[in-house]
Amino acid sequence: MPANVKVNSSKPYSVRIRRGIIARLGVEMLRLVQDDYTEILIVTDEKVSGLYLQDVIMNFQECPKPEGKRIRVCELLINAHEGTKNFQTVAKLLDDMASLGLSGNCFVVALGGGVVCETAGFAAGCYMGGVKLVLVPTTLAAMIETSAWSSAFINLSSGKNLAGMSCSPSLVLCDTECLKTLSQEEYQSGIAEALKTSLMSGEELFKIFERGDVQHNIEKIIEGCIEYRAGLTPDVKRKCLGYALGNAIESLSGYKIQHGLALSQGLALTAKVSAKMKWCSQSTADRIINALVKNNLPVNCRKFTAGEITQALFNGRKISGSSFDLVVPAEIGRCEIMSITALELEGVILSGMTA
């Protein structure tokens, strides 16, 4: 069912979830435009460009415009890979925007997955002190991850998502028809993001994953995840379940493991550690592991040692001072933060890997 979610950030905006809404992008955006002349920059990648770009441009050209309103539509393609979500890509994007002669009144439309949405969002926040941003996420992970966060993050050589800035979008459009074009790996990566959110939000959402009934409830899942994430405080957002361990695994792989699949391994490891350390019941840990397996998500982290994961956490600055805050599932719908000393951390991670 179509849904609208209101995100009450410093600049409130709407997330619209509908099948086929990309075909209405021009109409939806013109509602935001106040000036007689508007520049619109579509930032996308090569794969998404081949699927949607020409139709989107045609939609802008053909949609009815109030008398006297003119729009100029430009497009830029970036290399959308987690390893290129960095300052070099942002700098190139900013230079290209300047070369196009875009003014400070332009709209940046991010059309693509998480890397496109975050990189374009970061650039929009920088260009001429900040320009308007519209997100059109085309992957399940991006719909869930980027829609309710009023900020964008890029990677540094030291670790993942260490540079960020506030950049609330003016509008987010989630077209669930786009999910049909995803590879199995991309789709599963999004399922992992959604399952993680369900573990934090509570039984109602989580039971969909326990039943393995995701496909028939995908719009409900997206809506529920965005509503939950939109209500989180900035401090809680930085301490989401499975986030640190998943990022460490992803970084260690050289970003060859999809973010969501690394996250799944991080969730499973966190559940095993939590049961071993008596931070949650064995039945809670088993429910988490079984839900991951039910949805064909990986639960074993065999490529890396506990020592390598610990070092990646240090490199990623996830350890503050002499301790590390690990978010653990006390029960479905309730997480707690456990402070682990840096000296104990490797042993704690190892306890989950050998459980």
Side-chain angles (χ1 to χ4, degrees), residues 36 107 142 144 190 204 213-214 243 246 313 322-323 333 350-351 353 355:
D36 289 337
F107 279 83
I144 291 166
E204 181 180 359
D213 195 21
V214 170
Y243 177 79
L313 291 170
S322 60
S323 66
L350 183 61
S351 74
M353 298 181 78

Side-chain angles (χ1 to χ4, degrees), residues 292-328:
L292 291 167
V293 172
K294 184 79 172 178
N295 291 278
N296 302 310
L297 293 167
V299 295
N300 294 311
C301 179
R302 297 193 177 99
K303 283 192 173 183
F304 310 111
T305 66
E308 288 171 328
I309 293 173
T310 302
Q311 188 58 52
L313 291 170
F314 274 102
N315 292 345
R317 304 299 189 269
K318 303 301 181 187
I319 295 175
S320 177
S322 60
S323 66
F324 170 71
D325 288 339
L326 179 66
V327 183
V328 303

Side-chain angles (χ1 to χ4, degrees), residues 139-170:
T139 66
L140 179 57
M143 290 177 190
I144 291 166
E145 265 204 304
T146 65
S147 293
W149 283 180
S150 299
S151 54
F153 289 86
I154 58 174
N155 305 328
L156 303 181
S157 57
S158 301
K160 179 180 168 70
N161 289 344
L162 294 183
M165 69 156 49
S166 175
C167 57
S168 291
S170 299

Side-chain angles (χ1 to χ4, degrees), residues 225-242:
C225 288
I226 294 171
E227 283 183 339
Y228 176 78
R229 288 177 175 231
L232 297 179
T233 63
D235 184 57
V236 173
K237 289 177 184 178
R238 288 192 291 269
K239 296 178 178 177
C240 281
L241 182 66

Side-chain angles (χ1 to χ4, degrees), residues 188-267:
Q188 291 303 113
S189 188
I191 297 299
E193 280 292 344
L195 200 157
K196 175 191 80 172
T197 306
S198 78
L199 287 171
M200 297 186 292
S201 69
E203 291 282 357
E204 181 180 359
L205 204 55
F206 180 69
K207 284 180 178 177
I208 297 174
F209 295 92
E210 281 194 304
R211 296 193 302 266
D213 195 21
V214 170
Q215 190 170 355
H216 297 104
N217 291 279
I218 197 65
E219 279 149 349
K220 179 180 179 180
I221 288 169
I222 295 169
E223 180 184 6
C225 288
I226 294 171
E227 283 183 339
Y228 176 78
R229 288 177 175 231
L232 297 179
T233 63
D235 184 57
V236 173
K237 289 177 184 178
R238 288 192 291 269
K239 296 178 178 177
C240 281
L241 182 66
Y243 177 79
L245 292 179
N247 279 356
I249 292 167
E250 183 184 12
S251 297
L252 284 169
S253 76
Y255 302 111
K256 291 179 181 177
I257 298 177
Q258 283 258 355
H259 174 67
L261 303 185
L263 171 65
S264 177
Q265 295 174 43
L267 288 172

